[in-house]
Amino acid sequence: MSGAAEFIRENTALHEPPLIPEIRLHLASEIVPIWQMTEEELEKSGLPPPFWAFAWAGGQALSRYILDNPEIVRGRRVLDFGSGSGLIAIAAMKAGGAAALAADIDAFAVAAIALNAETNGVAVTVTTEDLAGVENRGWDIILVGDMCYEGPLAARIEIWLRKLAGEGTAVLIGDPGRTYLPKSGLEKLVSYAVRTTRELEDTDVRNTSVWRVLPG
């Protein structure tokens, strides 16, 4: 983990995401080079590309919504699923969450989350366990950003989230309308125009919404 943390420190810089200036993250400042470098680094251990190095539109929207409506997470136990940089978990703790678990199967992401949480002065627990499909482990609310980019993954997550929503767990998704976002069973709560870059997205601004998952 120390090697991953050292790599992150050397190849990122602290930035404030455009929609979340209250939070500073270790992010890629030269997008294409770091993406290529980390892919080469991670290939050796079979880990995925460095999604943790970017503040994606869905995560920014969901974090903004939480910070503007802290009662959503205040005093509650939060799961940030597919956490990436840890942005959503950090926002939840800044908004008064009782505890936040940031889950990401990428060990580099877990190292980035730990660094980012420390930078922002909040305590976030991290795990590389794939939690999709597990029973609720005491979470009051589950927060998911930008996870609808791949068909089989999105379908598996949707089944799981609908089950948990049916059991009474609050589930919120932040997503800019990616291909595999469910076409039904969602309640739109708010939308934001999120500034991004054409090296990550197909436009400079993504209209991004926060959705509540309805029980399945």
Side-chain angles (χ1 to χ4, degrees):
M1 189 63 66
S2 59
E6 181 181 357
F7 178 82
I8 292 164
R9 287 193 183 97
E10 290 177 353
N11 291 282
T12 63
L14 284 170
H15 294 280
E16 296 84 21
L19 202 63
I20 319 292
E22 302 96 323
I23 293 176
R24 305 185 77 203
L25 302 173
H26 289 80
L27 300 176
S29 53
E30 293 181 3
I31 292 170
V32 173
I34 191 175
W35 190 279
Q36 293 171 341
M37 289 169 60
T38 47
E39 280 188 322
E40 293 168 5
E41 180 85 8
L42 296 174
E43 271 178 11
K44 299 174 184 177
S45 50
L47 294 170
F51 298 113
W52 52 265
F54 310 97
W56 299 90
Q60 288 195 55
L62 187 46
S63 297
R64 181 75 270 153
Y65 185 67
I66 291 166
L67 289 172
D68 290 345
N69 301 274
E71 68 278 2
I72 293 169
V73 296
R74 185 179 295 124
R76 307 182 82 182
R77 296 159 295 179
V78 175
L79 170 63
D80 174 11
F81 177 80
S83 183
S85 67
L87 172 59
I88 297 171
I90 292 167
M93 292 306 292
K94 280 186 168 290
L101 173 63
D104 199 297
I105 60 173
D106 184 349
F108 275 76
V110 166
I113 294 163
L115 287 173
N116 290 331
E118 181 181 7
T119 297
N120 289 278
V122 297
V124 172
T125 304
V126 295
T127 181
T128 55
E129 181 183 358
D130 183 358
L131 297 176
V134 306
E135 296 297 319
N136 190 314
R137 297 180 179 175
W139 308 305
D140 300 307
I141 184 168
I142 298 175
L143 306 172
V144 183
D146 301 287
M147 291 297 290
C148 297
Y149 59 88
E150 182 182 270
L153 173 64
R156 183 165 68 100
I157 293 171
E158 180 183 358
I159 293 169
W160 174 56
L161 294 178
R162 290 203 191 284
K163 177 178 181 292
L164 293 175
E167 295 169 354
T169 305
V171 182
L172 301 184
I173 292 176
D175 195 273
R178 299 191 192 283
T179 302
Y180 301 105
L181 179 71
K183 301 300 187 289
S184 62
L186 300 178
E187 176 191 4
K188 184 186 290 188
L189 301 176
V190 69
S191 292
Y192 302 95
V194 183
R195 284 193 291 117
T196 180
T197 168
R198 290 184 182 272
E199 291 182 286
L200 289 179
E201 304 282 6
D202 55 3
T203 180
D204 296 322
V205 177
R206 290 300 300 262
N207 183 43
T208 306
S209 297
V210 176
W211 308 84
R212 182 173 73 89
V213 175
L214 303 176

